[in-house]
Every structure is written in structure tokens, then in C-alpha cells.
Amino acid sequence: MTNLTRAGFGTPLSRVDGPAKVTGQAQYAAEFQPEDMLHAHVHTARIAKGKITRIDVSRALAVEGVVDVLTHENRPKVAWFDLKYKDMTAPLRGSPFKALYDENVIFSGQPIALVVAETPEIARYASTLLDVDYKWAEFQTDLAQVLDQAFVPRIPRAGYHKPKSRGDGEQAFSDAPVQVSNRYHLSPEHHNPLEMFASTVIWEGDGHVTISDKTQGVKNSHWYICNAMGWDRDKVRILSPFVGGAFGSGLRPQYQLYLAALAAKKLERSVQVVMTRQEMFGHGYRPECYQTVSLGADREGHLKGIVNSAVTATSSIENYMETVVNWGSMVYRCPDAKLDYKIAKVDTATPCDMRAPGGATGMNLFEVAMDELAYACDIDPLELRLRNYTDREAMKDKPYTSKALHDCYERGAAKFGWDRRSHAPRSMRDGHELIGWGMATGIWEAMMAPTSARARLSADGTLEVATATADMGPGTYTMMTQIAADTTGLPVEKITAKLGDSDLPFSPVQGGSMTAASAGTAVQKACDALLEELLEAARRIEDGPLAGVDLDEVGFGDGRIYLIDDTKIGMRFEEILAAAEMDSLEATELAKPGIINMMRKARNTHSAVFVEVRVDEDVGMARVTRVVNAVAAGRIINPKTARSQILGGVVFGIGMALEEETLADHRIGRWMNHNLAEYHVPVNADVPDIDVLFVEEQDDEVNPIGVKGVGEIGVVGTAAAIANALFHATGKRVRELPITIDKLL
Amino acid sequence: MRRFSYSRPTEVSEALAEAGGEDVRFLAGGTNLVDLMKENVERPQHLVDITRLPLDRIEEIQSGLKIGALVLNSDLAHDPKVENRYPLLSLALLNGASPQLRNSATTGGNLLQRTRCYYFYDVATACNKRDPGAGCQAIGGLTRLHAILGASPHCIATHPSDMCVAMAALDAVVHVESATGTRTIPFEDFHRLPGDTPQRDTTLEPGELVTAVELPATRFDRHYTYLKLRDRQSYAFALVSVAAAMRLEDGVMTDVRLALGGVAHKPWRDRDAEALLSGKAPERALFSKAAEAILADAQGQGANDFKIELARRAIVRGLDQAARGTPQSVTDKRIA
Ligand SMILES: Cc1cc2nc3c(=O)[nH]c(=O)nc-3n(C[C@H](O)[C@H](O)[C@H](O)COP(=O)(O)OP(=O)(O)OC[C@H]3O[C@@H](n4cnc5c(N)ncnc54)[C@H](O)[C@@H]3O)c2cc1C
Ligand code: SF4
């Protein structure tokens, strides 16, 4: 072989799955097409809350090609106990949504029937023929109307970080010579990944079931569907080799999985359910938020007291929570802070995690408040952040494993040319365009979760590394390949990464920016263990060149184990296997974080975002013209895919700042802009050149491979920097996201 | 989607013979009709695919340019005759939808595209346009996309087309044909206000096929603009758009054309306002007066109140762009 690719840590390796994706070889959930498969179409509720009093399916059933119509009246027996429906990421309290369970409707767009037919067209047509009568009940979808009913759940969800107040925030705020106190609002957003949710249940006929599912976690789907259907774990396999974006909407199993399984169970046939774009507005979403931030400071801008409270929406059935109010109080030094977070119930589907859940909401709104403080103190916004800088995590007063935020500020500002900014609002212009420069701080978590991986060396010298994680777009296949290449010294061409299969070793859902740290460490450990076993085998080969050598005498590289003192002496991996008469060699390892160490030190990514906007003075059209995002995220495995993650995050931030908003008609409790023509996400013309800088951050403690993750940090801070730039341009402070043209007029 | 039968005639006469029934629709690019069928908003029983009819040419005729109903939006936008004589039309077309959509969308289909009112699109809600007599749920609800001029208590929807705004300004004429003969309809009479029959978008009779749109010979190649204000830089329907064209002789405006999009059930032209401008020197104060005149009767619905002020500013800016001869670029997003 010639031109083999060596790809260690830090190599900008192109996606290993790129060719499969652009040539259509990559198989997505709806592209699994078993023979004799039935297609099912969902019928959704028109009312926000109430009961189905009558559901007549006879006209639909009469259509040729319709096989069955499933409703709450005729569905097969399923588990009744709530616990059986709790997936691994479900809120601990509450009762998860169960489609077609009974006559109750709890949100508009809820699936209430499933039409199963020979073709998708027949199913879709017949679903329009259902006759349903409803009885409305009283409902409320407007968070503003239930703020007074907000509450603190007694049992928080897993992964939620309880805010920790310090000192007397209220007193300190009211004693401070400079005070800013305002309420901010974030509109609800839907994830809108490109690929529709789809599940194909392949009825194998021998008691086995294989399901291709669009999910961020095959193990989670496996756990959930086996519990709900009462299926034998060993007879069910979930596949999800490729995911066309999810942004968190695929963390919890979506209802199409349940419905496809339900139909397959009843009919004992293969069934596929694909959601429509409109139906994708009937599942989880980023909840609306009201947040009040009061910042008290001395005249030099040193924070004295923070009072930060927020309410986000949850559903009537589950307590969905996010970590919203902590972030600002973690980042900045401030002696006194009072933090308060509550949720309030509205009659929608349960919200769910969406890229940087809580952080994107809380920190972006907090950072607008920081900008307000900068102007109240008449201090440059960057200077204000520097004056309140701390090396410690200020909320829990803990040291960090690393925090290179200061470098982010410095390098980002230099690259952007921040020193040329004139401070006063409306002071920079170009003809009739007002120019605004704004900045903000970003912070996100650098987590790791227990993950197992397997490494298997075959007789031909090729290596396979595998774990049941997902690749919803960040480049997980590439990351795993690269870590294996780094660890073993094998060229990329000899390595295959496998994921998205519930038969593989355990991995948690892909979320929380922790896949590289978790699956990456597991792959490294498995490869290390494999090499040790291989060396052991080589040492035992009598008369072999490596007989009896010690670990510290040898090196690994080029698919060989060799003597460090005389590199010509050694054995190729495949030679070792042949000589040891082994077909293959395998090692499986579990990587898990050290819990005690986790508690002792804080672990976070940070960023500094600098943005230029231009706003037409007359008509208020605003556009982002420049972004510099400087990120400190530990070690960067692959600068190319990591940069893409930040680019995507920034685009998300542009959407949050200027465009994204799911509009509800609260009179009927229904999302109304449920399509991509009216739910606006940034298009190419909205996205300027984005400069991504990775600031060096050596971190041996955060996890064994020193990687912090970059999937979400790009969103945090970006929306705030844009909002702040708009203030700088126009002198108008908008405290509601998205900032649409009407708010700038 | 309801089941339907389908035919694809190659002669206009064959197509017309099949047309006429309540449940028959012509299918052109399908970019609007098929979407609406999927949402169960349009429920034809028979589709006459007209894409094979010989109506896809742009012809020079004595009175101007005749654009076949099947000329694609992208072909029309980039046709040299159009670019040279009616660059306003090119601009408007290129401001609409996306390149992929423009490659499928036709002139006739664009003319007859339906409103983007959220409620019209969602059969779970009440809509007079979809279901006459059912009520208009948009009133008092989400009205960001809705009309500020010419609305009725029965419907407050807007016509979403960009192309049509330019055509209205250019005094286009619509050619139609039915089994009983042909007729022409001046552009301003083609689309209608909702009144108490919002189910009817246009004055086209059942069974009539649009065969062409004719543009009068008068060229507007120096002083024109199409200024579209929307919720993102591209690929969004207009909140407000302004098509402006004029001739400037000795510093005086003549033959002023001004049409607005996104504000009414039809492209909005106000001849009185145009008269107010004609024969005068271009000045901002005058443009403001024209804007006030146009918007004197404007009425918001709550969520779209801002469109009145936005329209006022857009009119002034659009007239200014046209008078200065600095039309709005589609690629450079800075407002000229
Ligand atoms: C996401 C999206 C964004 C869009 N954005 C914009 C935008 O920004 N600006 C804009 O202007 N438009 C926009 N459009 C709309 C687009 O311009 C229209 O969908 C398109 O012009 C319709 O043309 P068509 O040939 O596909 O029509 P079809 O969908 O085939 O037909 C539309 C209607 O016209 C009727 N019809 C078609 N041809 C004739 C004829 N010759 N005689 C009589 N009746 C006929 C059909 O029966 C049907 O009722 C957008 C569309 C989409 C989907
Ligand atoms: S505005 Fe017109 S289209 Fe919209 S709901 Fe009312 S009647 Fe229907």
C-alpha cells in the first residue's frame, strides 16, 4: 500500500465517512427497506388538551391497501407502569408520554392514531379519513400566564446542576452603586434537524426484531423499547449507523419508534414510520424562558451582587429541567449571588435538550445583562469581563482542571481588532449602515461518562474499534479512527470504526459534548489493552525477535512492534497473530471518570465570541458580518472536524439571536409555523466568514485524553455577542431573542 | 393527500377540455400545489399536468414581450431581454424562494401561488379561504405575515409573490384561455381583495388556463428597484417589498410606478400616490408624502402593526433607490 494516512492527535483528518455520505452509501433509518414492509402514517390531535370522545376509523380501513388503524381502543397490550417508559435520559419525576395509550390528549399535535398500509401514500391518504370527535379541556400554553405557578421540583433530573447561592445577593445588589436589573425572554425553538425521525422495525419472524432508528443512543432506544413492549433484550437489536442531525432531539426515543414497534408487534410484520416535518414540531423542543438578571457593581465594574432567576417551561406530565442560572455566577468573581430556577407547566409536549441546553438559554441572556452593566459603568465590555475574571469556578468555589478563558479573550480580541472599537452606541457607521461590535463569554460543560469500547485486530492486520455511540454529525467515526491510529500507530486505511449498533459495547447517548472524551478514552484504553495482549503474544513466540522483551524496550508503529534500540528488529501485527496461531485478537475496556476527582475540580470549556453586525439605519435589516470565536476546549483531536463543530454552533447562535422562534397560537394551544418556510433557520446569506481559534489548553486531569468536547460551546455566547453588537450599532437594547426586524425599527 | 387521477396533455385544447370541474387543478412546477395537497389543503380529484404544453417561450411581440405561462422563474430572471428591459422583474424573481425552487416554479404557477397564512396551511384551524364560512382564525392570532391594506373581516391574508409585485408595477397583462375562448386581464384586475369571498384569490374563472403574461414595451432600465424586507437575508417571504420604477427627465420624475408586496391580498398599487410623485423632482420629503398617502388607511392586526412603519420606510427607501439609479442588489446584502 502506498500513501497511507498517519493520523495522530491534532491531524486535520477529513471525515472517514465522507465518501459514503456524499455517494449515498450511508444508510439512514428510513433507508432500511426490508421486504414486505408496511408503512405507517401518524394522525395527530387538533386540540391542545381534552379527550377523544369518538374515533371512527372505518373510512380509512375501507381504503384498499390499508392494513390496520391503531388507536387507543385497539392497540396491543403494552406495559402500564410508568417506569417501563422511562428512557435513560427521561426526567426522573413524571410519567413519560405514551402514544395511543388512552383517550386523553395532552398537547396539540399528539399522535392519536397510526394508519398502517402497503405504501406510504396510501397510509398518508387514509390518515386524512379518520373521523375524530374531541372534548376540549381547559389548557394553557403561554408560559407568561403561568409564571406565578412556577415551582422547584423536589427531585431534579439527572445531570441537572442545582444552583448554589452565596452570601446575600439581594442585599449586595441593592447596596451596589451601579445596578442593572432587567427581564429577558427566549422564545421556544425546535431542533429541526434535516433528517426526519424514522424507525424501521424489521420483523425477523424467528422472534427477533431489528430496528433501524434515528437516535442519538442505540442503547437508550434498546432499553426503552424492550421495556415498553415487554420484549426480550437478547432478541432486539437497534441500528443507527448514520444520523442526519439531531441537536438533542434524538436523545430521548421519539414517538415514531414506539409506534412502529407497536404496529409491528400487533401485526407481526415489518413496519416503518417516518415523521413529516410538521410532526417534528410535536415532540421535544427548547423551552421558552423568562430570566431576570440583576447585577450590582462598584463604579469600576467589579461585581458585588448577582440576583439571577429564571423560569423555563415544562409539560403537564414531566419535570423537564435545565441548568440555566448557574453559568454567569460560575464564570465571574462576585462575593454575593442569589440564584433561583423554577419550571412551570404548559400544555405542550415535554421540552427536551437542544444544543447546549440551559447554557445557551441562561448564559446568552446573562451575557446581555453583562453588556448592560458595561454601559452602566461606562467600561468597555471586554474590560468588564477581565475585571471580574477568576481562575476558580466561582459558584462552588472550586479550582478548574484548566481554564484558558483569559487567552480566549486576548487572542479573540486581537484577531477581531477589538481595540479599534469606539465605545459609544451608534458611534460606528459606514454610510447608512450602523456598525456594531459586540462580545460575550461562553461556557459549557466538559463531561465524561462511563463507556466501553472494543478493539479487534484481524489476521490481515486490520483493526476495528467499536462502541455503541452515535455519530449525528460531529465526526465520531473519524474521531474513533484517529484515536485508534494515534494509539496503535496503524494507518487510517487499516482501521474501521463501528458505532450505532446496540450489540456493541455500552456507550451512553451522544450528547453533552462528551462523546470524544468518553468514547475516545474508551477506544484508547481498548487499543492499549490490545497492544499489551499483542506484545504478550509476541513475547511468547519462541525464537521470535521479540521473545521475552519488556514493554519499555519496544515501540509500536507502522503496524509493527519493534525494538526501540534497533527498530529494524520487530514483527508486524499480522505476523504475530500468524505465529501465535490466532485468527484475531480482541480487547474490551471500560473507561470511566474518577468520581472523587470529578467532585474536587470543575471542568468546563470556555469561549470568547466577538461579532460585527451591520444594521440599515432606516429599515432595520440587520446582518452579522463577522464572527471570531476563540475557544478553550482542552486538546483538539482533529482541528478540521472541531472547527466544523464551532462553525455549526455559531450558525445556531445566529439563528437564536435573529431568527429561530416557534410561534404558538395560545388561543388554540398550537405551534403554527410548523414548517421550514416559516420556522426560520439561518441560510447561507445569513452566515458570514467565521473565524474559529482554538486556544491551547493542556489538561491532564479533565480525562485521560485531555479532551473537553466542542459540540455545544459554539452556541453559548454567540447569540449574546450578536445581541450586544446590535445594541452597539443601534443604541437600542432588545431583551428578547430572537431579535427580529420589528424589534429594531 | 387525497387520491387523484392524472393526465399530461401536449395540446392546450386537450388541457382545456379536461379543466373546469371544481376538483380539477392544473399542475405546473408543483412547488406550491403539491405542498398544499400533502397538507390536505388542496384536494383535487384530477390533475392536469400542463408542463408539456407549448407555453414555455418568451416571444417578442409588437406590443412588448410575451412570456409563456410555463417559462421557469429562473429562465425568466436570466433572459437577456428581461434583464435589459425589465431588470426590475429579474430582481423580483431572484428575490423569491431559492434557486432550486425557481428552477421548477413557472410564471403561471407563481401568479397563482396561494397565501402563506399559517392557518390556511393547517387544516386543524378555521379558515375562510380554505373552507368558506368557517371563520378566519388568523384574526386575533399570529399575523406577522398578514395584510395591512385592503383586508376584510373575512380574511387578512397576503399574496406572497415577489414576481407579481414587479409585474403589477410594469402594467403587465395576463392572457387566459378556456374552452370557450381567450381573454386578457390587466394585471391589477387579476388578483383581488378578499371581501366576503376570500376563497377566490383571482378573477380567473374555473376552467381558465393562464397562457402568458405580456409586458408592455415601455422599458425601465435605469431607474428601478426591488427592495424586499424579510426575516432573513434570503429564502423568506416578504414582510414588505417595494417595486419602484420611473423615468427621470431633466430632474423630474415621470411615469412613476410603485407596487408593494407582503401587505395585501394582491400586489398593491396606488395610482394616486404615483400621480403625486409624477412631474416632481425626487426628494425624500416627497417620497414620505407618497408613503403617507399609500398607508393612510393601513390597519395592523396586532402582531403585524410594525409593517405599517416598515412599509413607510421601505417606500421612501425604494423610491430613493430608483431615483438614484442604485437598485438593490440581490447578492450584496447591504441596503443600497
Ligand atoms: C419554501 C418556499 C419558499 C418560497 N419563497 C418564495 C418567495 O420568497 N417569493 C415568491 O414569490 N415565491 C416563493 N415561493 C413560492 C414559489 O414562487 C411558488 O411555489 C411557485 O412560483 C409556484 O409555481 P409552480 O409552477 O410550482 O406552481 P404549482 O405549484 O404547479 O401551481 C400553483 C397553482 O397555480 C395553478 N396554475 C399553475 N399554472 C397555471 C396556469 N398556467 N394556469 C392556471 N393555473 C395555473 C395550479 O393549479 C396551482 O393552483 C416559495 C415556495 C416555497 C415552497
Ligand atoms: S387570513 Fe385568510 S387565509 Fe388566513 S385564516 Fe383567515 S381566511 Fe384563512
Side-chain angles (χ1 to χ4, degrees):
Chain A
M1 244 193 268
T2 50
N3 293 329
L4 292 179
T5 316
R6 312 278 153 198
F9 265 86
T11 312
L13 181 66
S14 291
R15 282 168 196 266
V16 295
D17 52 335
K21 281 187 169 167
V22 298
T23 56
Q25 304 298 303
Q27 214 180 359
Y28 292 82
E31 293 176 318
F32 286 77
Q33 299 271 343
E35 263 176 48
D36 277 344
M37 175 177 80
L38 295 171
H39 298 262
H41 194 85
V42 180
H43 185 93
T44 60
R46 293 165 175 236
I47 66 167
K49 194 171 188 170
K51 283 190 190 317
I52 300 165
T53 52
R54 185 183 68 101
I55 183 158
D56 180 355
V57 301
S58 56
R59 282 205 302 150
L61 270 178
V63 175
E64 194 189 330
V66 172
V67 175
D68 200 356
V69 181
L70 277 76
T71 68
H72 64 278
E73 291 173 350
N74 67 2
R75 61 161 173 77
K77 194 166 159 339
V78 288
W80 58 270
F81 190 39
D82 272 347
L83 203 59
K84 291 282 185 192
Y85 293 88
K86 280 207 196 289
D87 69 272
M88 295 170 179
T89 64
L92 295 177
R93 278 309 276 265
S95 93
F97 172 64
K98 305 185 275 286
L100 315 193
Y101 192 74
D102 56 24
E103 72 279 19
N104 291 311
V105 174
I106 53 168
F107 61 91
S108 193
Q110 171 182 326
I112 57 166
L114 187 74
V115 180
V116 191
E118 299 293 346
T119 72
E121 292 81 9
I122 294 174
R124 187 166 185 155
Y125 163 59
S127 79
T128 66
L129 301 178
L130 298 190
D131 251 325
V132 189
D133 291 339
Y134 301 94
K135 186 165 178 289
W136 281 85
E138 240 181 87
F139 65 93
Q140 184 55 265
T141 51
D142 186 358
L143 180 62
Q145 304 303 320
V146 293
L147 288 175
D148 57 348
Q149 293 157 38
F151 63 100
V152 181
R154 216 160 39 79
I155 303 178
R157 76 180 274 219
Y160 170 73
H161 300 291
K162 206 169 152 218
K164 185 165 173 271
S165 298
R166 52 186 186 262
D168 187 341
E170 272 160 353
Q171 190 62 45
F173 167 72
S174 56
D175 290 347
V178 184
Q179 300 175 1
V180 293
S181 178
N182 292 292
R183 191 168 90 152
Y184 302 86
H185 178 244
L186 175 76
S187 288
E189 298 178 337
H190 277 75
H191 311 67
N192 277 307
L194 209 53
E195 185 201 9
M196 306 299 173
F197 275 92
S199 299
T200 313
V201 177
I202 305 168
W203 198 259
E204 309 279 9
D206 56 359
H208 285 79
V209 174
T210 306
I211 306 176
S212 72
D213 185 32
K214 168 168 176 158
T215 175
Q216 287 170 242
V218 281
K219 291 284 189 187
N220 193 25
S221 290
H222 184 257
W223 160 272
Y224 167 83
I225 207 66
C226 291
N227 279 341
M229 295 292 142
W231 280 342
D232 185 344
R233 274 178 224 300
D234 296 334
K235 293 188 174 160
V236 177
R237 183 177 180 198
I238 310 278
L239 299 175
S240 187
F242 291 95
V243 176
F247 310 121
S249 58
L251 289 171
R252 300 190 68 180
Q254 294 294 4
Y255 68 65
Q256 91 290 341
L257 170 64
Y258 181 79
L259 290 176
L262 198 66
K265 181 181 167 115
K266 182 171 182 202
L267 302 169
E268 302 194 343
R269 283 185 65 177
S270 298
V271 177
Q272 180 171 85
V273 179
V274 185
M275 282 193 195
T276 63
R277 178 62 64 189
Q278 284 69 17
E279 285 156 17
M280 303 252 293
F281 284 76
H283 60 55
Y285 64 99
R286 193 197 296 282
E288 184 174 6
C289 175
Y290 286 96
Q291 181 170 201
T292 303
V293 185
S294 306
L295 302 176
D298 65 19
R299 293 191 199 288
E300 284 71 48
H302 300 108
L303 283 167
K304 294 296 173 198
I306 297 174
V307 185
N308 189 359
S309 60
V311 178
T312 59
T314 189
S315 67
S316 62
I317 49 170
E318 286 174 301
N319 290 341
Y320 173 77
M321 304 170 74
E322 295 183 341
T323 304
V324 175
V325 295
N326 305 10
W327 309 100
S329 296
M330 289 165 66
V331 171
Y332 300 115
R333 180 203 309 279
C334 178
D336 297 85
K338 177 157 194 276
L339 309 180
D340 173 42
Y341 170 72
K342 296 192 172 99
I343 58 176
K345 293 179 187 249
V346 292
D347 293 305
T348 65
T350 305
C352 72
D353 292 340
M354 176 165 165
R355 210 168 188 176
T361 303
M363 190 60 175
N364 277 318
L365 298 179
F366 187 90
E367 282 294 285
V368 177
M370 281 296 280
D371 202 63
E372 301 212 43
L373 180 64
Y375 279 89
C377 298
D378 200 19
I379 296 172
D380 174 85
L382 174 58
E383 177 59 28
L384 180 80
R385 269 95 176 165
L386 293 173
R387 286 188 192 173
N388 289 290
Y389 196 85
T390 166
D391 286 322
R392 292 174 76 79
E393 194 273 74
M395 187 178 79
K396 295 204 171 142
D397 194 23
K398 281 202 247 179
Y400 275 110
T401 59
S402 63
K403 176 179 176 181
L405 175 58
H406 211 284
D407 296 344
C408 294
Y409 288 138
E410 252 172 42
R411 286 198 46 211
K415 181 93 198 194
F416 187 82
W418 185 258
D419 58 346
R420 297 195 309 274
R421 178 180 187 266
S422 85
H423 180 64
R426 283 185 94 91
S427 63
M428 292 168 71
R429 66 161 62 223
D430 173 9
H432 40 68
E433 277 195 327
L434 302 168
I435 298 176
W437 287 6
M439 60 85 55
T441 308
I443 174 172
W444 188 242
E445 305 183 310
M447 295 183 288
M448 179 185 177
T451 301
S452 289
R454 184 182 72 206
R456 180 192 283 148
L457 185 67
S458 296
D460 62 0
T462 58
L463 175 72
E464 179 198 276
V465 287
T467 177
T469 186
D471 188 349
M472 59 167 160
T476 311
Y477 281 109
T478 313
M479 177 274 291
M480 288 168 64
T481 305
Q482 201 162 344
I483 287 182
D486 186 84
T487 315
T488 61
L490 282 171
V492 168
E493 288 77 2
K494 293 214 165 189
I495 302 170
T496 317
K498 278 185 89 174
L499 50 77
D501 179 346
S502 62
D503 281 354
L504 298 177
F506 180 83
S507 172
V509 290
Q510 176 163 64
S513 298
M514 63 185 180
T515 305
S518 312
T521 303
V523 166
Q524 190 190 55
K525 267 186 95 171
C527 288
D528 273 338
L530 180 82
L531 292 181
E532 269 182 52
E533 283 180 35
L534 195 64
L535 177 64
E536 195 45 44
R539 294 180 65 216
R540 282 199 307 259
I541 299 166
E542 275 177 49
D543 307 330
L546 299 171
V549 296
D550 278 338
L551 186 57
D552 53 11
E553 291 174 85
V554 298
F556 300 86
D558 275 341
R560 289 172 72 236
I561 306 180
Y562 54 82
L563 292 181
I564 292 170
D565 284 344
D566 185 353
T567 56
K568 284 195 295 297
I569 298 177
M571 287 181 86
R572 303 197 58 76
F573 291 175
E574 52 269 44
E575 284 171 1
I576 300 171
L577 290 190
E581 297 181 350
M582 290 190 277
D583 291 337
S584 65
L585 190 61
E586 190 176 296
T588 302
E589 288 286 320
L590 168 70
K592 53 177 201 274
I595 298 296
I596 299 300
N597 189 32
M598 283 271 259
M599 281 160 46
R600 210 175 292 137
K601 289 196 171 178
R603 43 206 73 218
N604 290 91
T605 48
H606 292 90
S607 68
V609 194
F610 298 85
V611 163
E612 177 185 276
V613 298
R614 286 167 174 252
V615 185
D616 185 86
E617 187 176 22
D618 282 352
V619 298
M621 281 287 279
R623 67 207 156 101
V624 178
T625 44
R626 220 148 57 85
V627 178
V628 174
N629 198 336
V631 181
R635 215 163 156 205
I636 300 301
I637 304 172
N638 181 331
K640 196 173 193 169
T641 50
R643 175 173 176 272
S644 292
Q645 282 290 292
I646 302 299
L647 295 180
V650 168
V651 173
F652 237 71
I654 295 174
M656 180 178 248
L658 301 177
E659 301 175 16
E660 291 196 46
E661 173 170 31
T662 320
L663 300 169
D665 184 333
H666 295 304
R667 300 169 309 168
I668 50 172
R670 189 172 171 88
W671 306 122
M672 290 307 300
N673 57 337
H674 40 51
N675 58 69
L676 286 182
E678 300 308 336
Y679 181 95
H680 295 139
V681 296
V683 294
N684 280 325
D686 295 311
V687 181
D689 282 345
I690 299 167
D691 236 317
V692 179
L693 306 178
F694 288 112
V695 166
E696 176 144 341
E697 196 170 55
Q698 189 71 35
D699 192 330
D700 301 327
E701 289 180 274
V702 65
N703 52 55
I705 57 174
V707 165
K708 285 185 173 177
V710 290
E712 290 158 292
I713 182 69
V715 191
V716 188
T718 300
I722 295 169
N724 296 340
L726 287 170
F727 169 75
H728 184 235
T730 64
K732 195 161 178 184
R733 181 67 72 181
V734 182
R735 301 192 177 92
E736 294 164 12
L737 300 183
I739 303 173
T740 42
I741 190 169
D742 44 310
K743 297 175 187 146
L744 288 173
L745 269 187
Chain B
M1 193 187 274
R2 176 153 150 191
R3 286 175 164 185
F4 56 87
S5 52
Y6 170 89
S7 66
R8 198 168 65 191
T10 52
E11 296 298 331
V12 171
S13 57
E14 293 172 57
L16 292 176
E18 292 186 32
E22 265 293 297
D23 289 334
V24 182
R25 293 282 183 288
F26 295 123
L27 174 70
T31 60
N32 189 217
L33 181 59
V34 175
D35 268 7
L36 290 167
M37 286 168 66
K38 285 202 233 163
E39 292 310 305
N40 220 25
V41 174
E42 292 269 17
R43 289 174 240 188
Q45 284 200 327
H46 183 62
L47 281 188
V48 183
D49 182 340
I50 57 173
T51 54
R52 299 298 147 97
L53 303 186
L55 300 172
D56 58 348
R57 280 190 306 276
I58 303 176
E59 291 168 85
E60 276 310 339
I61 54 170
Q62 193 145 47
S63 51
L65 206 60
K66 194 170 163 192
I67 302 157
L70 290 170
V71 173
L72 299 178
N73 285 180
S74 44
D75 289 342
L76 185 58
H78 296 298
D79 184 86
K81 296 185 282 296
V82 175
E83 282 177 330
N84 291 332
R85 289 180 232 170
Y86 317 103
L88 166 59
L89 179 58
S90 284
L91 263 189
L93 281 159
L94 295 175
N95 266 289
S98 66
Q100 294 92 329
L101 281 159
R102 295 194 294 269
N103 284 339
S104 302
T106 64
T107 307
N110 196 321
L111 217 55
L112 286 148
Q113 64 171 298
R114 311 216 59 191
T115 184
R116 308 304 292 203
C117 169
Y118 316 109
Y119 301 86
F120 174 71
Y121 258 83
D122 186 340
V123 294
T125 65
C127 168
N128 284 326
K129 190 181 274 301
R130 188 169 15 83
D131 186 6
C136 169
Q137 205 139 32
I139 295 173
L142 299 169
T143 55
R144 189 173 183 79
L145 295 171
H146 292 74
I148 51 172
L149 289 166
S152 82
H154 304 284
C155 179
I156 58 170
T158 51
H159 192 259
S161 167
D162 292 298
M163 179 193 84
C164 292
V165 184
M167 285 181 171
L170 293 170
D171 274 345
V173 175
V174 183
H175 290 241
V176 307
E177 193 170 334
S178 69
T180 56
T182 64
R183 64 175 179 129
T184 57
I185 309 173
F187 208 86
E188 272 182 275
D189 299 336
F190 186 77
H191 297 99
R192 55 189 295 283
L193 291 180
D196 55 7
T197 49
Q199 66 274 25
R200 295 193 59 201
D201 293 350
T202 66
T203 53
L204 207 63
E205 296 295 335
E208 279 184 326
L209 175 76
V210 172
T211 53
V213 175
E214 182 187 329
L215 296 177
T218 325
R219 56 198 288 160
F220 289 96
D221 53 3
R222 271 182 60 83
H223 295 285
Y224 67 91
T225 196
Y226 188 75
L227 176 61
K228 181 177 181 182
L229 303 179
R230 48 186 147 179
D231 276 328
R232 59 185 167 193
Q233 298 294 334
S234 174
Y235 200 28
F237 290 94
L239 292 165
V240 171
S241 70
V242 175
M246 61 183 67
R247 222 168 297 289
L248 258 180
E249 281 156 24
D250 305 327
V252 165
M253 297 182 286
T254 59
D255 202 1
V256 181
R257 310 286 180 85
L258 185 61
L260 306 185
V263 296
H265 201 256
K266 59 186 286 191
W268 192 262
R269 250 187 101 172
D270 186 327
R271 303 253 172 190
D272 294 342
E274 290 173 5
L276 194 99
L277 296 163
S278 266
K280 307 217 176 71
E283 272 177 40
R284 279 198 151 225
L286 181 65
F287 298 159
S288 290
K289 252 175 89 180
E292 296 307 335
I294 295 170
L295 297 165
D297 294 330
Q299 211 190 331
Q301 300 286 341
N304 72 347
D305 290 348
F306 75 95
K307 282 168 73 167
I308 301 175
E309 177 61 18
L310 191 65
R312 199 182 60 73
R313 298 184 190 196
I315 292 168
V316 173
R317 191 61 164 273
L319 286 167
D320 194 46
Q321 288 182 347
R324 280 187 285 126
T326 54
Q328 181 59 42
S329 161
V330 241
T331 46
D332 180 356
K333 297 297 174 182
R334 164 199 289 263
I335 308 287

